[in-house]
Amino acid sequence: MNHNAYYDDKNPKNSKKKSVRQIEKYLSFPYFIVMIVLVVIPIFLMIISSFQFDRQQGVFPIGFTLTHYMDFFRATSFVRAMTSSLWIAFATTVVTLIIGYPLAYLLTKLKFKTQMALLLLINAPMWINMLLRVRALEQIMRMFFPFLINTAPGVVIGLVYVYLPFMVLPIYAVISKIDPNLIESSADLGASRFKTMLKVIIPLSLSGVLSGVLMVFLPAATTIIVPQYLAPSQNIYMIGTLIEKSIIYNGRISYASAIAIVLAIVILGIVFYIKKLDKYKGVNRNEKEAY
Amino acid sequence: MKKKRINPYQIIFLILVMLFIYAPIISIAVFSFNEANSLTVWQGFTFDRYKELFQDRELFNYTNPRESIVFMTIWIAVVSTFVSTILGTLAAIALTQTKKVVRDITMSVNNIPIVSPEIITAVSLLVLFGALQIAPSYNTMLLAHIAFSTPYVLITVYPKVKSLDPNIADAAYDLGASPLKALFKVILPQIKVAIIAGAAIAFTMSFDDFIISYFVAGSSGDKNISIYLYTNRLSPKPIINALSTIILLIIGGKITYDYFKNDKKVEEME
């Protein structure tokens, strides 16, 4: 507390106060213990485990093998699952963007009360268990569009259904904060509505689009629920399913750890690349660091 | 803002999106009253599915709640919310008093479970429990839920604590308050709303979680509602529609309540 600095060394009460405030620091100890034991250590163990031979009990004895990493590139199942996951996640992101951007933009044009009500209706499903929603969609698909079951477009529709709010919400948040003066001045300077859209609104909403893209792409690429419900014949094979199979059905935990680590590295690369694109971050008024 | 113009195409677009979002949900509710055991053919109106639901021994075991999927799901959500809210809130208060380095490191570690895909968190926790030779059960599920809920509580409560006026706490100490008293009488009341919001997120996360629960406890036969839904996906029982409808009603009720409460607030501000 800088404004108190002058008093600190003179007033004994203040030094006592400081020591009292020091105690507050220790309040975080239980939190640190939980986070170290349940977040940090598991990640290290997962890395160690990925180099272990299969079906070992406990962490010790420690072995070392690269077979799990080699297995991916030899096994076509891994490469196939990885490429189809990334491809399906990409398609999902594009479709949610095509629906979500105009939707978010449209919302900002409505009366404030209507905006709030519609926003609530769009976001409400996020509070509903994802399995319930996917099963509901499966039911509808089987009734009206049975040809979509077991196809990649069917899986993409399922993912769009689940993750659409994650795209609409950040884009809406950014567009609604664009200073209306900017749009007016663009019109005053003679820009057409289309040009204003292209040169003002879209660049200013880019940070919202990019966080939306991340929030849709990452879970879509790693889903296990959607393909299991909408493509039960397993001809659409995704990375999540591969991990599920190796752990739940085959008990190959080390192999699954290795897949998870490769997946994490691929994802980190994508996140890093997308964040670099984000050059307009913090341009709009009141924009807070969200992700 | 300037005059809002909205054309018929935009209205059609809005209606189509809403239909896409709500048609499946409405169909679930409608078919929960179906007389036929089928999910696709309508036969007639009945409440039988609801009666069957509450008599289902796997979901509602009134004599032995430990065997009951619904009771255990709620129990785990309550306990993990309670624990993670306390841990997260205390840490949020403490973080405002620590050095910037500690705060930055804590925040980045805190973000790991929030940002990384659930399946990676699930595998890492499974490896941990395997290494410590803790058998999968409701206990591992509970620990996992505490692990992924606590970060959400921290990021919800921390901004609120940061925005507090430090002079108020200082004044309390000047007036002779003990740290405990200052915490309970001065700091906590000011951040109450954020704590409740954090707890609500933690509860929903726990109640809805599938992937992590499935990995850390699924093989033991201990199930939460999500695992139950998933393991029955190939032979969907009609009672699941009834269960879904009840969950939908509870969530819908809560959301509508929140909406009208906020609506009142907005009107008061205007």
Side-chain angles (χ1 to χ4, degrees), chain A residues 20 31 109 121 135 161 244, chain B residues 4 22 110 214 230 241:
Chain A
V20 167
Y31 166 85
K109 297 233 151 210
L121 280 176
R135 206 179 76 82
Y161 181 67
E244 183 198 357
Chain B
K4 288 115 188 174
Y22 283 99
N110 191 67
Y214 178 54
Y230 186 75
N241 278 11

Side-chain angles (χ1 to χ4, degrees), chain A residues 76-89 237 239:
Chain A
T76 48
S77 64
F78 174 76
V79 180
R80 209 181 84 206
M82 197 63 154
T83 46
S84 73
S85 292
L86 294 177
W87 175 238
I88 285 175
Y237 204 51
I239 202 84

Side-chain angles (χ1 to χ4, degrees), chain A residues 3 13 20-21 24-25 30-31 59 106 109-110 113 121-122 125 127-129 132 135-136 161 228-229 244, chain B residues 4 6 10 20-22 28 87 91 94 97 110 131 154 169 173 204 214 226 229-230 241 244 251 267:
Chain A
H3 52 279
K13 240 185 179 174
V20 167
R21 299 228 92 176
E24 284 184 5
K25 282 187 190 175
Y31 166 85
V59 204
L106 197 62
K109 297 233 151 210
L110 298 166
K113 269 200 151 174
L121 280 176
I122 292 167
W127 294 91
I128 302 168
N129 192 318
L132 290 185
R135 206 179 76 82
Y161 181 67
Q228 291 283 19
Y229 275 88
E244 183 198 357
Chain B
K4 288 115 188 174
I6 194 166
Q10 291 170 321
F20 175 56
I21 296 177
Y22 283 99
I28 282 269
L87 292 178
Q97 304 294 321
N110 191 67
L154 181 72
Y173 289 128
T204 322
Y214 178 54
S226 298
L229 290 173
Y230 186 75
N241 278 11
S244 309
I251 294 165
E267 268 169 12

